[in-house]
Amino acid sequence: MLWHCFSPDNRYGRIFCIFFVAILFYLALPFESAAQPTVVEPRWTLIRTIDIAGPMAAHFNERDGRIYFGRRGSGADGLWRIDAYGFAERLAAGSNVSAVAVQPDSGHIFFSEDYGGIVYRTEFGGTGRATWVSGFRSGDDDPVGIAFAPDGYAGSILQPGEALVVDRGNSGYDEVWWWSPFVAEGEYQVHPDDGTLIDPLDVAIGWSTVYLVDSGLAGDGALYIVEPDSSLTALTTPLPIASPAGITIDPLTQDLLVADQGAGRIVRLVLLGHDLVTGMQDVVTGLTAGSNLWAGVDMTPDGR
C-alpha cells in the first residue's frame, strides 16, 4: 500500500504544497487491507491511499507529476507508475527491486535490485530498462537507496547532479558508491567497508552534507554523515530510532525525514547546522512495524 500525504506551509509567506510519499510495507503474500496510518504532525493531511501488493520505494517525478515505485515479491516485480487515472502500470520487469529514484532534470527513473547487484535506468516516457551500473565489487552486491546531489551542492564528495548508492552488504560488503546518471558504469567507491556499517538502506544529499541510514539489523539503527575523507560520523538523536530504513531532506526546512521500520513511523529530525539534532518529532505513525520501508520516503525537491 502507498500513502500520499499533503502539507500546506505558510512559514515563508506563501502557500507551499509538499508531496510526501511513504512506502508503508512490502507483502510477499497477496494484498490484504491494512489500517490507515495516523498523521501526527499538524501540517500534514492524508489525501490518498493506493492499494498495491509488494510496493517498494515510491518517488515523485516532477516532469509528469506521477508516482513511480518498485514492486518486490508480488509476482509482478519491476518498475511501476501510477498513471493519470490512478491505476498502476508496469514500465519494466525486474526482480527484488530495492529502491527507486528520479533524476530531477531529465525525469529518467533509476531503480536498484539487490541480490542481482545492478542499478537500471528507464528513460522518461519510455518502458523497459537498461543496465546502468553493474560493476561494484564482484560477488554479492546489494545496492539499495539512491540520491542525486542537488543543483548548488557545495560539498566535496561529488558534483551537482551526480549520484550515490548504498550497498546493504547482504552476506557481503557494506559500502557507499559514486556513479553518474549521465554516463553508464564508471562507478567508484566512496566509503569502503571498515566495519562501521551493518545494513545501510538509504542516502540523502543536502547542500553540502551526505546522510545515510543503517537499520542495524538485530541491533540499534544509526544515522551517519559521510565525511570528505570517506569516514562516517554518527548523528546522535534525542531518542533511539529502532530501525531507520529511508531518509529524505525537507526542501523548505532542511530537516531530515526518516522512515523507521522498527516503530512503523516517519520521524522528523530538526538540525542545527549539518550535524546537531536539536529536535525530533513523529510525522506519521501506525505504519506496519518490521516491514521493508527501504528508501520509502520522498518529497518534491522544489517544495510543492
Side-chain angles (χ1 to χ4, degrees), residues 5-269:
C5 295
F6 157 89
S7 167
D9 189 339
N10 293 306
R11 73 181 66 183
Y12 292 102
R14 60 191 177 97
I15 297 296
F16 290 95
C17 295
I18 301 173
F19 285 96
F20 164 37
V21 182
I23 286 289
L24 299 189
F25 54 83
Y26 147 63
L27 294 175
L29 299 175
F31 176 80
E32 294 180 2
S33 296
Q36 296 293 302
T38 300
V39 180
V40 178
E41 194 172 66
R43 297 189 306 118
W44 297 91
T45 302
L46 177 66
I47 62 170
R48 182 163 56 154
T49 299
I50 304 168
D51 291 352
I52 298 291
M56 291 291 291
H59 282 257
F60 180 79
N61 193 332
E62 282 191 295
R63 290 290 301 275
D64 60 7
R66 299 182 186 180
I67 296 170
Y68 292 75
F69 63 97
R71 291 183 69 180
R72 178 187 180 104
S74 66
D77 285 5
L79 176 67
W80 288 70
R81 177 179 63 191
I82 303 297
D83 67 19
Y85 304 99
F87 297 103
E89 55 182 341
R90 187 163 73 163
L91 302 180
S95 176
N96 292 308
V97 175
S98 51
V100 174
V102 178
Q103 203 278 330
D105 297 330
S106 66
H108 298 329
I109 303 93
F110 294 84
F111 64 101
S112 56
E113 291 183 347
D114 67 341
Y115 304 142
I118 295 176
V119 174
Y120 295 95
R121 185 184 78 156
T122 297
E123 291 190 5
F124 177 72
T127 59
R129 67 181 190 178
T131 297
W132 199 256
V133 184
S134 62
F136 300 118
R137 285 179 178 269
S138 59
D140 185 19
D141 302 317
D142 303 284
V144 186
I146 295 168
F148 302 98
D151 291 339
Y153 170 78
S156 57
I157 294 176
L158 67 174
Q159 298 296 315
E162 295 175 346
L164 296 176
V165 61
V166 293
D167 186 332
R168 73 186 184 96
N170 182 47
S171 302
Y173 295 94
D174 301 280
E175 300 170 325
V176 182
W177 289 78
W178 173 99
W179 58 280
S180 171
F182 311 111
V183 180
E185 308 295 1
E187 65 280 3
Y188 62 80
Q189 189 183 87
V190 169
H191 172 77
D193 189 335
D194 61 2
T196 305
L197 297 175
I198 297 172
D199 186 41
L201 294 177
D202 201 10
V203 58
I205 305 174
W207 296 116
S208 61
T209 308
V210 174
Y211 304 94
L212 61 86
V213 291
D214 189 310
S215 78
L217 293 176
D220 294 334
L223 284 74
Y224 293 101
I225 292 173
V226 183
E227 303 290 1
D229 65 357
S230 84
S231 65
L232 301 178
T233 298
L235 276 177
T236 301
T237 57
L239 296 171
I241 300 179
S243 184
I247 186 170
T248 195
I249 298 172
D250 186 326
L252 301 182
T253 65
Q254 296 303 295
D255 297 342
L256 302 179
L257 294 187
V258 177
D260 179 5
Q261 64 186 0
R265 62 176 179 166
I266 305 295
V267 62
R268 176 185 298 274
L269 301 178

